[in-house]
Amino acid sequence: MTVNEKLIDFIKQSPSSFHAVETIARRLEAEGYISLPECTAWTILPGGKYFVTRNQSSVIAFSVPTAAPRGFMMCASHSDSPTFKIKEHPESESAGMYVKLNTERYGGMLCSTWLDRPLSVAGRVVVKSEGKIQSRTVCVDRDLLLIPNVAIHMMRGANDNMSYNANVDMFPLMGSTAVKGSFKKIIAEAAGVAAEDIIASDLYLYSRTAATVWGAENEFISSPRLDDLQCAFASLEGFLAADAKDSVPVLAVLDNEEVGSQTKQGAASTFLYDVLMRICSALGMEYLPAISCSFLVSADNAHAAHPNHPEFSDANHRPKMNGGIVIKHNANQRYTTDAVSQAIFASICEAADVPVQYFANRSDMAGGSTLGNIANTQVSLNTVDIGLAQLAMHSSYETAGAKDTEHLITALTRFYSSSLNVLADGEYAIE
Ligand code: CO
């Protein structure tokens, strides 16, 4: 399989953040990683490989070198994407002939891109089973829903400054009134449980549109959820391919970036801190010196220059798809990159023979945010914000460069194989 085929397969297996974490956990287990439940004491041994999940939607994996480690080489990305969450009582009748589902927005999507395409439902259900309460992933693996546009004849202004009301325009159609009451049964059947055993659920829409590699020279890849599963996939591959000697490589894929990260499993939580503290105490490492000799890569996709609107990019900082890793700058530190973290990460990319390019917003545009600076409020250390250049961020179908996944895997393999020796504040050696 080519790298892009593997990426497409990874995304297909990951229609929700729960599935992304399950897909990563399965891969880690196949590579000999041991699951550490947060509710037990941990035994961590030199040479061991481990992972921890929280809320089934965030995961942190690490491997321990055989020699005493100096610090942590970490990469964080996110498992969630903008979508619509299905409410507790979702079914409602419309026009005396339809059953549609009541949803609310999760994150900041481009609404128009969710219209007129096959959709379905994925997430988790919590079931009562043999006296226990048990969470299980569920994915309805068929075309189940669609949000229809209004015909141009009925809405003449549809091509001019259209606005979308999430409580009116974005509800998906499920069937005729004959199917009233069947949503829960469809979910139960897909989960392999009895409908009456489902106590609660976290269910989201996902796009069924298949990914494709396209363009005159097959230079582009389009798919749902490239932000941020492209970085999650590439960091997993780089993490698994690395040969770490002096530092602990840490892979973090965290939920809820799209809604600000302030959840028990998001980048604003203590999840990363908790795992690092437990590693330190198990290995007899001192936390604070270890953190000062550590580095975090915050990996979340970046905006490529748009073919029809290049003016939206800063004239001197226009990332190019297939142009390699984008190092992101923001004076107000919504991106964590500074001169030191840029120098360290760009040196690693250079050593790995991977091209880098630079992004900054136009000075009159606020731009987006990500998880690096939020993670720094819990674990503070040198951090760089990077991503792969893509078009149509937060569309239900995004486009990126077909060669860039490989660029990121190569760079992160090198990164995870390295360690940071801090000689003084402001003086570093990459070893
Ligand atoms: Co993102």
Side-chain angles (χ1 to χ4, degrees), residues 77-78 80-82 226-229 231 257-258 299-302 328 369-371 390 393-394 398:
S77 58
H78 63 92
D80 62 326
S81 302
L226 283 174
D227 170 16
D228 193 26
L229 294 184
C231 287
E257 189 277 336
E258 298 294 356
D300 196 0
N301 270 359
K328 306 182 206 173
S369 62
T370 181
L371 45 72
Q390 71 157 86
M393 191 177 286
H394 293 193
E398 299 172 320

Side-chain angles (χ1 to χ4, degrees), residues 44-48 50 64-67 283:
I44 298 171
L45 301 170
Y50 308 93
V64 184
T66 43
L283 295 177

Side-chain angles (χ1 to χ4, degrees), residues 66-83:
T66 43
R70 174 183 284 150
F72 302 95
M73 296 301 266
M74 306 188 274
C75 179
S77 58
H78 63 92
S79 58
D80 62 326
S81 302
T83 177

